[in-house]
Amino acid sequence: MTDTIEAMIRPVETEQELRACFGVMRELRPHLVNEDDFIRRFARLRTEQYRLLGVWQGNEAVALAGYRLQENLIYGRFLYVDDLVTTERARGRRWGARLLETLTDIACQNACTRLVLDTGLANSLAHRFYCRQGLLTGAIRFGKSLERVAA
């Protein structure tokens, strides 16, 4: 990857584009098994209004943002960011900030009242980044795994 190639933010739509995104997404979601698994999951998520934006330099994806437009009784209409990742070698070039700016524009265009995302409590680098982007801590999420242990 070179800095001389102009980057472009655009939706990820085709299977070929998804395959080009797998390595980037795997940096954030290492549990993804392979490209085919990723494509199957994407197809299921798409039925739930999941969308994926990519930062492209030529045919190479260097950053991704997965999101959904949702509504609930807490926020009203909002944009939820499922995934936000920049490849390790492309960090420091403001791709994450540019993706969040684009997502904010999408949220405003769709009459959303909030942009919401979750991150791990131990992920202090992400916390600082999100604060610099104007996102504030508003809640702590609780959950439990429902995986069954095989007997």
Side-chain angles (χ1 to χ4, degrees):
M1 180 183 72
T2 66
D3 289 332
T4 59
I5 299 173
E6 187 173 326
M8 158 186 280
I9 296 176
R10 62 179 166 80
V12 175
E13 296 176 337
T14 69
E15 182 175 325
Q16 181 179 357
E17 290 170 338
L18 277 174
R19 288 187 186 282
C21 292
F22 173 71
V24 180
M25 187 62 79
R26 191 139 190 230
E27 287 192 31
L28 179 66
R29 309 287 182 221
H31 61 276
L32 293 172
V33 177
N34 56 44
E35 287 180 6
D36 292 331
D37 176 52
F38 176 55
I39 289 167
R40 283 191 299 273
R41 287 176 188 239
F42 181 83
R44 287 191 306 271
L45 290 169
R46 189 175 243 171
T47 66
E48 299 172 9
Q49 306 308 310
Y50 178 85
R51 299 168 187 166
L52 191 60
L53 285 177
V55 175
W56 298 87
Q57 289 193 312
N59 291 328
E60 182 182 10
V62 296
L64 300 171
Y67 70 98
R68 310 163 202 250
L69 298 169
Q70 297 183 323
E71 186 169 353
N72 65 22
L73 296 175
I74 298 170
Y75 303 128
R77 189 156 172 78
F78 67 102
L79 186 146
Y80 182 78
V81 181
D82 287 75
D83 310 293
L84 183 64
V85 60
T86 300
T87 60
E88 186 173 343
R89 69 180 196 278
R91 289 186 189 135
R93 296 190 177 116
R94 297 196 31 80
W95 300 131
R98 292 176 192 169
L99 282 167
L100 281 175
E101 290 168 7
T102 301
L103 292 174
T104 298
D105 291 344
I106 291 168
C108 290
Q109 292 165 7
N110 285 277
C112 293
T113 59
R114 295 186 70 80
L115 183 143
V116 177
L117 60 79
D118 294 323
T119 189
L121 289 172
N123 195 349
S124 59
L125 290 176
H127 300 170
R128 289 198 318 251
F129 169 74
Y130 296 138
C131 286
R132 284 194 311 270
Q133 303 312 310
L135 283 80
L136 303 174
T137 303
I140 295 176
R141 173 170 284 173
F142 292 92
K144 67 178 178 179
S145 177
L146 300 177
E147 293 181 33
R148 304 289 184 223
V149 179

